[in-house]
Amino acid sequence: MDNGAPSYATSRSRRSHRKSRLGCGNCKTRRVKCDETEPVCNNCLRHSIECDYGQPPSRSIGSVSNPKSDQRLKSQQKQTTDFAFISSSQSEFAVPKRARRETALKKTKPLPPSDTETAVAPRPFQFSVTDMALFHNCFSADDLKHHMPDELVRLGFSVHYVLRLLLAVSGFHMKRKPSRSNINLHQFSEPDVDFGAEAERHLRIAIQEVATTTPQLNQANSHSLYIASIYIFICSLARGPQRGEYLAFRDDGDMPSLQLFLGVRSILEAANRLGTSEGISQLHSSPSQDSPLETEAGSESTTISPSYGFNHHNFQEPYSYWQPLNDLQSLMNNTFEQSDPCYSTYQGVFKSLCSTYDAIMGVNAALGPDLWPQIFGWLYGLPDILVHDMQRKHPVALLLISFFSVLLNELDSVWFITGWPRHIVCGVSDNLDDYHRKFLTWPLHKLGLV
């Protein structure tokens, strides 16, 4: 070539570049070069639109797959799922501010949940017409309206599993105690609604949400979980005596309702470790007659004595519980050797039971709301060994729960306790042999079963 040729005519070698057809769809549509940056190209990032570069391309039928390409595309797809991008098709879209790529693609760390977010159940709650009828029954039924404090209702609207448990209790109440007032609620609910089934549905969802929240127990949700554990146990009683379920044991070997009650103890022990038990104790500043919230036994165990006076519930039978309990203690002494670890455990539970009998039927008998902590305090303090023996139907353990049922019968007028004492003793009788059944004579007589 002539050396005098102009510079623009001078031959230059083209700069080599990599050709690729793997750009994203947005760049191909706009006919611009895609930098193929993973997991989203700079063009899409700059325009705040979704980039499909990391998504695997559709293959035509009969195409041969490339293992290396497939592995690369899968890696791109996995990386893409770790990031969130703003789509221009979203409502209330606003153009984001310019920022460096490293900042924009930095994985966002979730903010720590607030107290309300920690407590509120993850499922959304939408009131149906039937739910409104159940809620109305909470404040119209005589058995419920005086035992639904405003604080509990406010907690229910903040913590949905508590609200579901309140509705479940109301549903079981309407199922077990139909009255003129709650029958009229049927006209305001869905046709042919089964309030018992609605109660079971709310209870089932609440148990699932409580089970999910309990491993994350903290100072923010300990109160609501404690209340929920109590009402789950109340619901197990509120559905009424069920065939094969006898509070402390079941015929099918499944978990009895007693385990639900001991869940209250587990929550309270965890709250003690967190230092939140003081706030929980404030919930029981004014216990009501139909709310067994105070469950801890506070009196020491003592031995029984015939000098305590008459049973104020039945003056025709002075000291009626003294001899049957002594017979039960003799059976325990003959069943367990003193060297047996179970001996001391059973003796401690028996003495606590005697102390409870003295408090309920002795000369200084408890009346009114004091029945709740006295009666359920014994149940609350049962050691795990004896709870296990009740579940496997050990004869002495079954006799202990039958004598407890006589005390529970003092609360039989409460709607969700009604029928349970007799039901438990009948179940015990069916699971005892002839020798041990003779020790059941007094509980059967006290409950009118003979």
Side-chain angles (χ1 to χ4, degrees), residues 118-123 161 204-217 221 225 232:
T118 305
V120 174
R123 296 191 180 201
Y161 53 76
R204 182 178 64 256
I205 297 175
I207 290 177
Q208 293 173 353
E209 294 175 349
V210 169
T212 303
T213 310
T214 300
Q216 305 169 0
L217 186 142
N221 60 25
L225 286 173
I232 288 175

Side-chain angles (χ1 to χ4, degrees), residues 118-379:
T118 305
V120 174
R123 296 191 180 201
F125 193 101
Q126 295 180 346
F127 260 85
S128 65
V129 177
T130 301
D131 295 335
M132 293 297 295
L134 294 175
F135 191 73
H136 178 269
N137 184 63
C138 291
F139 301 97
S140 60
D142 293 334
D143 295 328
L144 298 178
K145 64 182 180 182
H146 299 299
H147 312 290
M148 293 289 180
D150 294 339
E151 294 78 4
L152 185 61
V153 177
R154 284 197 293 268
L155 178 63
F157 280 104
S158 299
V159 186
H160 292 167
Y161 53 76
V162 173
L163 179 59
R164 289 191 182 276
L165 290 171
L166 297 182
L167 297 180
V169 170
S170 178
F172 288 128
H173 176 266
M174 296 179 68
K175 183 73 172 181
R176 292 189 63 182
K177 295 196 66 176
S179 61
R180 183 182 301 274
S181 59
N182 60 36
I183 287 178
N184 293 334
L185 292 176
H186 282 271
Q187 60 183 326
F188 302 109
S189 58
E190 287 85 349
D192 300 326
V193 63
D194 184 348
F195 286 108
E198 288 296 311
E200 293 286 357
R201 181 179 66 85
H202 282 298
L203 176 61
R204 182 178 64 256
I205 297 175
I207 290 177
Q208 293 173 353
E209 294 175 349
V210 169
T212 303
T213 310
T214 300
Q216 305 169 0
L217 186 142
N218 53 48
Q219 293 184 355
N221 60 25
S222 60
H223 292 183
S224 60
L225 286 173
Y226 177 69
I227 290 294
S229 63
I230 292 175
Y231 274 88
I232 288 175
F233 172 66
I234 292 177
C235 285
S236 70
L237 300 178
R239 58 162 62 106
Q242 306 292 318
R243 184 178 179 85
E245 158 65 44
Y246 304 102
L247 183 64
F249 63 97
R250 293 176 61 100
D251 286 343
D252 58 6
D254 202 356
M255 183 181 69
S257 299
L258 178 59
Q259 289 288 0
L260 298 176
F261 181 67
L262 296 182
V264 179
R265 184 171 66 186
S266 301
I267 295 294
L268 187 58
E269 290 174 353
N272 285 331
R273 292 192 294 268
L274 292 173
T276 59
S277 58
E278 181 179 356
I280 291 177
S281 63
Q282 294 177 358
L283 297 171
H284 314 312
S285 57
S286 57
S288 61
Q289 186 173 354
D290 288 354
S291 298
L293 298 181
E294 183 60 58
T295 54
E296 292 183 90
S299 59
E300 297 181 357
S301 300
T302 58
T303 56
I304 56 178
S305 170
S307 61
Y308 280 150
F310 294 94
N311 176 2
H312 73 286
H313 296 276
N314 190 344
F315 289 100
Q316 296 179 355
E317 297 185 51
Y319 326 120
S320 60
Y321 62 91
W322 177 63
Q323 187 59 47
L325 284 175
N326 277 343
D327 294 340
L328 179 59
Q329 186 176 31
S330 298
L331 174 65
M332 292 171 51
N333 294 334
N334 295 330
T335 303
F336 303 103
E337 298 289 340
Q338 292 189 6
S339 58
D340 190 340
C342 293
Y343 177 83
S344 59
T345 300
Y346 272 79
Q347 288 294 334
V349 171
F350 175 76
K351 290 181 179 180
S352 178
L353 182 65
C354 294
S355 177
T356 305
Y357 264 91
D358 289 339
I360 302 300
M361 298 183 176
V363 65
N364 297 319
L367 296 174
D370 292 336
L371 288 175
W372 288 103
Q374 291 290 348
I375 294 176
F376 281 92
W378 181 83
L379 203 64

